[in-house]
Amino acid sequence: QELNDEKFSSEEVGYIPSAPPISWAVEESGETKPASIQVSEASDTISARGTSHAVVSYDACVRLCLHAREKGCMEARMFLENECALLREAFGVKEHLSLSEEEMLVSQSSQAPHEGVAPKPKKNIGKMIVQIWHVKTDLDAAPTGNGILYVEPSLKKIEKLRVHFSNIATRISSKWRALKKINLRAKEKHLCRLRLKSSTVDDAAVIMKSGSDEEGHVFFPDSHEDDLIVEIFESNGKEFGRALVPLAKATEVSAYSLSWESVFREPGHQLVGKIQIHFDYSASSDDNSHLKGCSVAETVAYDLVLEKALKMQCFQQRKLLLHGSWKWLLEEFASYYGISDVYTKLTYLTYVMDVATPTSDCLHLVHDLLAPVIMKVNGKATLSHQENWILNEIKNQTEQILKLVFENYKSLDESSFSGMNDVVSSATGVPAPALAPAVKVYMLLHDILSPKDQSNLCHYFQVGAKKRSRMHMGETDEFVTNNNDPNFWDPSSMSSAYKKMTMVCKNVKNEIYTDIEIHNQYILPSFIDLPNLSASIYSTDLRNRLRTFLAAFPPSGPSPGVAELVIATVEFQRDLSSWNIGPIQAGVDAKELFHQYIMIWIQDRRLSLLESCNLDKVQWGGVRTQHSTTPFVDEMYTRLNETIQDYQVIISRWPKYIFVLESAIADVEKAIVEALEKQYANVLSPLKENLPPKKPYVVPDELGILLNTMKRMLDVLGSNIEAQFKAWSSSCIPTDGGNVAPGDLLSEVTVMLRAKFRSYLQAVVEKLVQNATTLKKILQDSKGSGLHCAFSKESVGESDMHNLKEQLTNTLNNLHSVCATHVFIALSRGYWDRMGEIVLSFLENKTENRAWYKGPRVVVSMLDDTFAAEMQKLLGDSLREQDLEPPRSVVELRWILCKENA
């Protein structure tokens, strides 16, 4: 139907009762403010309703500017210069107006080659939003057709209303954007440069990514005969090809179209792919109808003026604000012709929402435009049906933008054209500039005291945290999904896997810390506890991923990579507690995650070390170390110390594992002693025999190695380990009611080892004393052999004393050759003491006979001199003064002899 066939009330078309109506032709009333503009019958020469609207709007703007100039307004001059050339160009009505003689001559000369052909009137074809959905570089996979899919409203009346009211396009556009989100887009994205063929200005081109969530770019084409040129570039910046799309194809009807176009590469015009383009076209006129004359709504004229103003100022994403003379024109137009303030703001918002981005400038503008409208609505002001409908549509679109902001509150980027950061980056503690205005807009549209609205806002941030969490967990997806691949089990892959998992723990902790910093900026409403809200999601997801990861890559021990993961997990749990994050059910519990693995590690290490103590596993070979000990023991204690160092990271964080580790090490130490006894059984068995020796006993080398080894275990190797466990006791809570403390089990092993060592020393001394027959003979013969007479050369005792002294010297040399210093001193002093005991035993029951005292006195003196001299000779400066002090039996002998003299 044509406009004159339908009657609309002022309420339906958005009239303001006090506004002066605009009609089709100008009355020369002489009034300053025109009451109406009437159309003459000559309007039949204008073939398109859109062009007629443009002429009427142009005329209204001219009258407005003339009126403003009379008041001395400077802004109006720009539009009136050169016979309103700027307005004629903007509204595209130049060819429909009367031309001067000069202009006619120029026009005729330009038409000379085509004489006889009447020029077609230039049409205003409205607004078109273009989006690049998909680029196919594989020709086989690309669709073969170039057909257009049209989705038209089902009600004819709504279709006609949409022709008159451009805001209908906003409604369908929002529906279509909701529908297109289910479209499966390619993962790879190409940069595309879009421009109209008729454009000669580089700034008119726009860059967008295929398959992105951008709202698209708005074009205001002047002609159906224009073409859209799309240049496609690869990720490296190299041009892939270009597509040429005739606009007549996308604007044949007012509809939404989805088209596959061919991509060619020059030179050679080679077909290289397909590109899927979405057109959202909104016509400002119906090309198939003619106007016979009727009233035109001021809002329709205002819509057209706004559209032209936006086009002239290159309105697009990140360039949303009107400024300068065009802003003045719109404001004056609305004021002059009585367009309501609500309608002007809502109409402007429809364009803003078409290209809205989650950025601070966009959201501030949305808030500034919406706030007065919402205040009027809350103040019980009555809006027209059209204004109410537009407001509801804008609310729905705004909600989608707010959702985008809140669900991506850490991925917003003001420097990006789309407002979103396409590159995954670490979170920072600085809130995105868009967050504060987004909260203001949300509070403007919602009752912030309503539990439902509070829950919805919290839900947005929960979704945002889940997105970030999923992004971080995705860093380790390859390790939990491809663990059946044998290549994943080599050491380098395992190390890489644990490093990535450790980094995930640190990154997730950083996410929570940045939420705390954002929360401390007091941008969000008080009912949103962002740190606790996000921490419950991050901690739960991290715990589940750690459990899955450890099951896929079970750690075999506390290697450096595993230790780093343990530390990262413990610090994650500790820091959350220190940040006053409440307990999280099913959240990260480091000890619970690693407990079973730690127990297995310790048991496996225990079994491995015990296995190494088997005689068939030890390479004895008669080799000795620089300490005259067996290398086996040094190697075993080196491994024990490595074990303690490996578990330092575990013990320092969970002291209760001290007892498990200590029990394992104590078992290994016992096994080491048993292995030594078995290996040196052939030199130990003679020590247990009480048979008199057939020849003087000589300490074998192997026995010396055994004794040296046991002494080193007592003084150095074992004591170091025991000291380490006792140092841990201050940080450990004793078990079993405090009956057991760290180091107790190792102390028991030390006591056992010391008892064995002493028994072996005593046995060696006893074997050496069995050679003391000469001493006993000297003592028995001392009363009648002339010992009391200075031992003359002819006396028999002199020879015996010489033999005894030689025997002592040879024994000490033998001990020194096979024993380490401390063992040599212990054996020498034990031997010395035992010889003194023989003399002391001889004097028992002979205290009344002073004649028996002379021989022992001489023997004791000789023993003291010989042991002291030989030990000094063999050890030199390494001999301590207390090592030369007489042993207990000799001290007792001297006391008895001194008493006898007194």
Side-chain angles (χ1 to χ4, degrees), residues 836-853:
E837 288 180 354
I838 294 175
V839 178
L840 191 61
S841 176
F842 173 76
L843 289 179
E844 288 181 359
N845 302 322
K846 298 181 175 62
T847 56
E848 301 300 330
N849 191 346
R850 294 183 179 178
W852 292 102
Y853 282 78

Side-chain angles (χ1 to χ4, degrees), residues 799-844:
S799 176
D800 292 335
M801 289 295 288
H802 176 77
N803 292 338
L804 177 59
K805 184 176 181 179
E806 184 178 4
Q807 178 185 338
L808 294 175
T809 301
N810 292 337
T811 300
L812 293 176
N813 285 328
N814 168 234
L815 293 176
H816 182 262
S817 65
V818 300
C819 297
T821 300
H822 293 293
V823 178
F824 168 74
I825 293 173
L827 284 174
S828 297
R829 290 183 60 79
Y831 187 29
W832 187 2
D833 183 58
R834 190 68 181 86
M835 296 291 279
E837 288 180 354
I838 294 175
V839 178
L840 191 61
S841 176
F842 173 76
L843 289 179
E844 288 181 359

Side-chain angles (χ1 to χ4, degrees), residues 708-725:
N708 295 339
T709 301
M710 296 179 74
K711 182 63 174 175
R712 179 167 170 76
M713 288 174 65
L714 287 168
D715 293 348
V716 180
L717 302 177
S719 62
N720 290 343
I721 292 180
E722 187 175 347
Q724 176 64 68
F725 276 87

Side-chain angles (χ1 to χ4, degrees), residues 591-881:
K591 185 177 180 182
E592 182 264 338
L593 285 168
F594 288 97
H595 172 72
Q596 61 174 333
Y597 298 105
I598 294 173
M599 297 299 292
I600 293 173
W601 298 343
I602 295 176
Q603 178 64 8
D604 288 347
R605 185 67 65 93
R606 173 182 174 275
L607 295 176
S608 174
L609 292 172
L610 291 177
E611 179 71 14
S612 299
C613 292
N614 292 338
L615 293 182
D616 57 341
K617 301 291 184 180
V618 181
Q619 299 294 329
W620 301 98
V623 181
R624 66 173 67 186
T625 67
Q626 61 177 346
H627 306 290
S628 297
T629 60
T630 174
F632 159 71
V633 171
D634 283 88
E635 292 170 3
M636 290 302 299
Y637 271 92
T638 297
R639 293 177 62 182
L640 288 177
N641 280 295
E642 290 174 353
T643 300
I644 293 175
Q645 292 301 318
D646 290 343
Y647 286 88
Q648 179 76 32
V649 64
I650 305 297
I651 300 301
S652 61
R653 286 157 179 82
W654 300 304
K656 287 188 177 182
Y657 288 108
I658 290 176
F659 302 103
V660 183
L661 182 62
E662 182 183 5
S663 176
I665 290 180
D667 289 344
V668 174
E669 284 195 316
K670 293 175 184 177
I672 292 173
V673 175
E674 292 177 3
L676 288 173
E677 290 181 328
K678 290 179 180 179
Q679 173 63 23
Y680 294 102
N682 60 327
V683 294
L684 290 175
S685 57
L687 299 180
K688 301 176 183 179
E689 298 176 356
N690 293 323
L691 299 175
K694 298 179 180 180
K695 58 181 180 179
Y697 180 76
V698 176
V699 178
D701 290 348
E702 291 184 342
L703 181 57
I705 293 175
L706 173 62
L707 296 174
N708 295 339
T709 301
M710 296 179 74
K711 182 63 174 175
R712 179 167 170 76
M713 288 174 65
L714 287 168
D715 293 348
V716 180
L717 302 177
S719 62
N720 290 343
I721 292 180
E722 187 175 347
Q724 176 64 68
F725 276 87
K726 288 188 179 297
W728 283 335
S729 62
S730 59
S731 62
C732 180
I733 301 175
T735 61
D736 300 330
N739 295 329
V740 179
D744 286 356
L745 292 177
L746 295 178
S747 295
E748 294 177 4
V749 176
T750 301
V751 171
M752 177 271 293
L753 180 59
R754 182 171 286 109
K756 286 181 176 291
F757 177 69
R758 286 176 176 174
S759 67
Y760 293 149
L761 288 181
Q762 187 63 34
V764 171
V765 170
E766 290 299 327
K767 280 293 181 183
L768 295 175
V769 170
Q770 289 180 359
N771 301 333
T773 54
T774 304
L775 174 60
K776 294 178 182 179
K777 180 177 182 299
I778 292 173
L779 293 174
Q780 290 295 334
D781 297 342
S782 62
K783 183 177 180 181
S785 61
L787 286 176
H788 57 285
C789 304
F791 295 107
S792 62
K793 293 182 181 181
E794 291 81 7
S795 65
V796 178
E798 181 181 6
S799 176
D800 292 335
M801 289 295 288
H802 176 77
N803 292 338
L804 177 59
K805 184 176 181 179
E806 184 178 4
Q807 178 185 338
L808 294 175
T809 301
N810 292 337
T811 300
L812 293 176
N813 285 328
N814 168 234
L815 293 176
H816 182 262
S817 65
V818 300
C819 297
T821 300
H822 293 293
V823 178
F824 168 74
I825 293 173
L827 284 174
S828 297
R829 290 183 60 79
Y831 187 29
W832 187 2
D833 183 58
R834 190 68 181 86
M835 296 291 279
E837 288 180 354
I838 294 175
V839 178
L840 191 61
S841 176
F842 173 76
L843 289 179
E844 288 181 359
N845 302 322
K846 298 181 175 62
T847 56
E848 301 300 330
N849 191 346
R850 294 183 179 178
W852 292 102
Y853 282 78
K854 296 179 180 180
R857 183 179 291 109
V858 176
V859 171
V860 169
S861 177
M862 186 272 295
L863 290 175
D864 291 345
D865 293 342
T866 302
F867 276 103
E870 289 300 321
M871 291 174 68
Q872 183 70 47
K873 172 184 173 183
L874 295 172
L875 296 181
D877 295 337
S878 61
L879 190 65
R880 299 173 301 175
E881 184 177 351

Side-chain angles (χ1 to χ4, degrees), residues 194-211:
L194 287 73
R195 62 183 177 89
L196 293 176
K197 189 175 181 180
S198 61
S199 173
T200 58
V201 184
D202 290 339
D203 292 342
V206 64
I207 302 295
M208 65 172 57
K209 291 183 178 179
S210 64

Side-chain angles (χ1 to χ4, degrees), residues 409 461 514-516 518-519 524 528-535:
Y409 67 101
F461 283 98
T514 56
D515 284 336
I516 293 174
I518 293 174
H519 182 75
L524 304 179
I528 296 183
D529 186 354
L530 187 59
N532 276 286
L533 182 146
S534 65

Side-chain angles (χ1 to χ4, degrees), residues 376-604:
K376 287 187 177 182
V377 172
N378 294 339
K380 308 304 180 183
T382 302
L383 304 184
S384 68
H385 291 315
Q386 182 187 12
E387 289 169 343
N388 273 319
W389 183 85
I390 296 175
L391 177 60
N392 289 331
E393 287 300 311
I394 289 174
K395 283 183 177 180
N396 293 335
Q397 291 177 298
T398 304
E399 193 69 30
Q400 295 303 313
I401 290 294
L402 295 177
K403 179 182 178 182
L404 187 63
V405 171
F406 297 139
E407 292 184 356
N408 301 276
Y409 67 101
K410 289 182 181 176
S411 302
L412 304 176
D413 184 5
E414 292 290 318
S415 64
S416 171
F417 189 73
S418 65
M420 298 284 291
N421 193 344
D422 295 331
V423 180
V424 176
S425 60
S426 299
T428 64
V430 180
L435 195 56
V439 172
K440 290 174 63 178
V441 174
Y442 187 88
M443 296 175 69
L444 181 68
L445 297 177
H446 297 275
D447 179 8
I448 209 64
L449 299 179
S450 165
K452 180 181 178 181
D453 290 334
Q454 290 182 358
S455 176
N456 286 340
L457 185 55
C458 290
H459 176 71
Y460 288 150
F461 283 98
Q462 286 175 329
V463 172
K466 288 178 181 178
K467 282 185 178 181
R468 298 288 296 185
S469 178
R470 178 60 245 166
M471 176 192 73
H472 290 299
M473 300 307 142
E475 295 292 323
T476 58
D477 280 349
E478 60 177 311
F479 301 112
V480 298
T481 57
N482 298 330
N483 60 307
N484 292 328
D485 186 350
N487 294 329
F488 273 83
W489 291 92
D490 65 86
S492 61
S493 296
M494 291 281 286
S495 176
S496 175
Y498 274 90
K499 285 182 179 179
K500 277 202 172 183
M501 194 68 242
T502 301
M503 187 56 63
V504 168
C505 293
K506 294 179 179 179
N507 289 339
V508 169
K509 184 177 70 172
N510 183 56
E511 293 284 350
I512 299 173
Y513 181 73
T514 56
D515 284 336
I516 293 174
E517 291 185 308
I518 293 174
H519 182 75
N520 291 337
Q521 298 293 323
Y522 302 104
I523 294 175
L524 304 179
S526 59
F527 63 84
I528 296 183
D529 186 354
L530 187 59
N532 276 286
L533 182 146
S534 65
S536 62
I537 294 171
Y538 288 126
S539 185
T540 302
D541 287 353
L542 181 59
R543 180 244 190 187
N544 293 335
R545 177 45 56 96
L546 281 168
R547 185 181 293 276
T548 305
F549 177 84
L550 292 174
F553 287 91
S556 58
S559 61
V562 176
E564 289 178 3
L565 180 57
V566 170
I567 293 172
T569 308
V570 172
E571 289 181 348
F572 177 89
Q573 184 180 1
R574 180 200 64 198
D575 289 343
L576 258 61
S577 177
S578 66
W579 294 338
N580 296 322
I581 302 295
I584 300 172
Q585 187 177 3
V588 171
D589 184 338
K591 185 177 180 182
E592 182 264 338
L593 285 168
F594 288 97
H595 172 72
Q596 61 174 333
Y597 298 105
I598 294 173
M599 297 299 292
I600 293 173
W601 298 343
I602 295 176
Q603 178 64 8
D604 288 347

Side-chain angles (χ1 to χ4, degrees), residues 228-433:
L228 177 67
I229 298 176
V230 183
E231 298 171 295
I232 303 107
F233 297 89
E234 297 176 351
S235 58
N236 59 7
K238 182 180 179 182
E239 183 175 352
F240 173 71
R242 65 171 57 190
L244 184 68
V245 186
L247 293 190
K249 182 177 184 179
T251 59
E252 289 174 357
V253 294
S254 296
Y256 300 92
S257 58
L258 188 62
S259 176
W260 282 98
E261 301 294 336
S262 299
V263 178
F264 297 94
R265 181 181 297 162
E266 303 298 342
H269 202 61
Q270 175 187 0
L271 179 64
V272 292
K274 295 278 188 178
I275 184 169
Q276 190 180 38
I277 307 176
H278 173 250
F279 298 97
D280 185 353
Y281 170 64
S282 174
S284 62
S285 62
D286 185 349
D287 296 338
N288 299 319
S289 62
H290 302 276
L291 290 175
K292 301 301 181 182
C294 76
S295 178
V296 179
E298 286 86 346
T299 54
V300 177
Y302 178 81
D303 290 347
L304 188 57
V305 176
L306 174 61
E307 180 180 307
K308 299 306 178 182
L310 294 175
K311 179 180 178 182
M312 294 302 292
Q313 294 204 334
C314 299
F315 176 83
Q316 58 180 321
Q317 288 177 323
R318 313 309 301 276
K319 194 175 181 182
L320 305 174
L321 293 176
L322 285 169
H323 55 86
S325 299
W326 284 101
K327 181 180 179 182
W328 169 86
L329 181 64
L330 277 170
E331 292 173 348
E332 289 298 312
F333 192 100
S335 174
Y336 192 66
Y337 293 108
I339 309 299
S340 71
D341 183 62
V342 170
Y343 185 81
T344 60
K345 287 180 168 54
L346 291 178
T347 308
Y348 189 12
L349 271 171
T350 60
Y351 286 94
V352 172
M353 298 313 298
D354 280 340
V355 294
T357 56
T359 54
S360 176
D361 54 349
C362 179
L363 289 166
H364 274 298
L365 178 60
V366 171
H367 180 270
D368 293 344
L369 293 173
L370 262 182
V373 178
I374 298 299
M375 289 178 64
K376 287 187 177 182
V377 172
N378 294 339
K380 308 304 180 183
T382 302
L383 304 184
S384 68
H385 291 315
Q386 182 187 12
E387 289 169 343
N388 273 319
W389 183 85
I390 296 175
L391 177 60
N392 289 331
E393 287 300 311
I394 289 174
K395 283 183 177 180
N396 293 335
Q397 291 177 298
T398 304
E399 193 69 30
Q400 295 303 313
I401 290 294
L402 295 177
K403 179 182 178 182
L404 187 63
V405 171
F406 297 139
E407 292 184 356
N408 301 276
Y409 67 101
K410 289 182 181 176
S411 302
L412 304 176
D413 184 5
E414 292 290 318
S415 64
S416 171
F417 189 73
S418 65
M420 298 284 291
N421 193 344
D422 295 331
V423 180
V424 176
S425 60
S426 299
T428 64
V430 180

